[in-house]
Amino acid sequence: MSVTVTPLQALPIEQLRQRTSTKWRTYPEDVLPLFVAETDFLPAPTVTAALTRAIELGDTGYTPPDPGIRDAYVGFADRRFGWTVDPARIRTTCDVMMGVVELLRQVTEPGARVIVTPPVYPPFYDCIPEAGAVVERVPLRDTGTAWELDLEGIEAALGAGARAVLLCNPHNPTGTAHSRESLAALAELVEAHGAVVISDEIHAPLVNRGVVFTPFLDASPAAARVGYAVASASKAFNTAGLKCALMVTADDATTAVVRALPAEVEWRTGLFGALAAVAAFSPESDAWLDAQLAALDENRVLLAALLAEHVPGARYRIPDAGFLAWIDVSALGWGDNPAAKILREAKVALHFGPHFGEEGKGHVRLNFGCSPEVLREAIVRLGALASS
């Protein structure tokens, strides 16, 4: 029996402008900020209560060896993904990209090539060199109705010596939830070439209704053997500033690699991040997460209607997951980096498409984790620019 969920309501923009985070302090007040991946909702009540209690107690010291996040994530993964995780195979760190860098340092030699699948989250292009490795681009394939991994291209890159795949699952910016079949096929290729997969699964809790998220480590026995997952509550629960991520494994060999990481990697976990994550991953937060997903589901559909009405030259494919929209506006003649013109002339801040790779030319990324009113105003402004 289906249950009706009341969508979460975003805060009024006047209240949001009192925030001091990047989203609200990068541009002047006449700009609508829909660029960085922060949402406009109040935190889950469980998270607010946990952080409030910590402040009341002066509980602002160092993060303990086991703040409870391992067991909390195990329960969350079981409830939301149907995935059984061994808590002994979880270790924490500061954030997802730090976890990726530290893992890459362990599993690749200096100068090794690491496959990315553009258009992809811009920090991927920075964290690989930070770890001493080199970016190898194998773009996603556009089938005309969806994006998918180019398994033939990945196999060729592995055959030419690439040693790792840095996977985005679900994918940012396209919102693609990779299928179990494609992930299992990827794992077979990677294992055959003696390489590894590091899967960034930060958007995993945000899959839309009717969409199945497959954790990479759960895709197949081969995936469990070759994979590392890095996850966090920070995107789904808007806690990026609190600093906590999890590195998860499913095999003795990969677990040994994570356990061998320097103690300082785990010390970088923020106490508030850990406390917030324990609360976020608890069953008591499920109703709030479902309400947020209902709001995002309405917005992703609303965005399609708004673009069709006001910017008919734009091409947008409704994402499987997340609150980010990948929009092709190349037909409008706004140049390779249209977000610059949109910011300058329409006063709407979107993420710069070319930052996601060559495939991002003529594209923008829009954050629809906001109120319908803000989303509507942003697209009306784009429409006015398109018709000017």
Side-chain angles (χ1 to χ4, degrees), residues 13-31:
I13 195 165
E14 297 78 13
Q15 191 171 347
L16 290 164
R17 291 200 183 279
Q18 298 176 42
R19 289 182 173 180
T20 60
S21 62
T22 290
K23 184 173 184 179
W24 299 99
R25 286 294 181 267
T26 299
Y27 297 108
E29 288 199 1
D30 62 343
V31 172

Side-chain angles (χ1 to χ4, degrees), residues 92-112:
T92 65
T93 190
C94 180
D95 56 37
V96 165
M97 284 299 99
M98 181 174 288
V100 167
V101 169
E102 295 300 338
L103 288 171
L104 283 172
R105 285 176 174 154
Q106 298 302 311
V107 300
T108 62
E109 298 293 331

Side-chain angles (χ1 to χ4, degrees), residues 209-234:
R209 184 174 50 192
V211 176
V212 175
F213 167 70
T214 301
F216 179 76
L217 299 180
D218 194 44
S220 69
R225 291 190 293 269
V226 303
Y228 301 82
V230 191
S232 176
S234 62

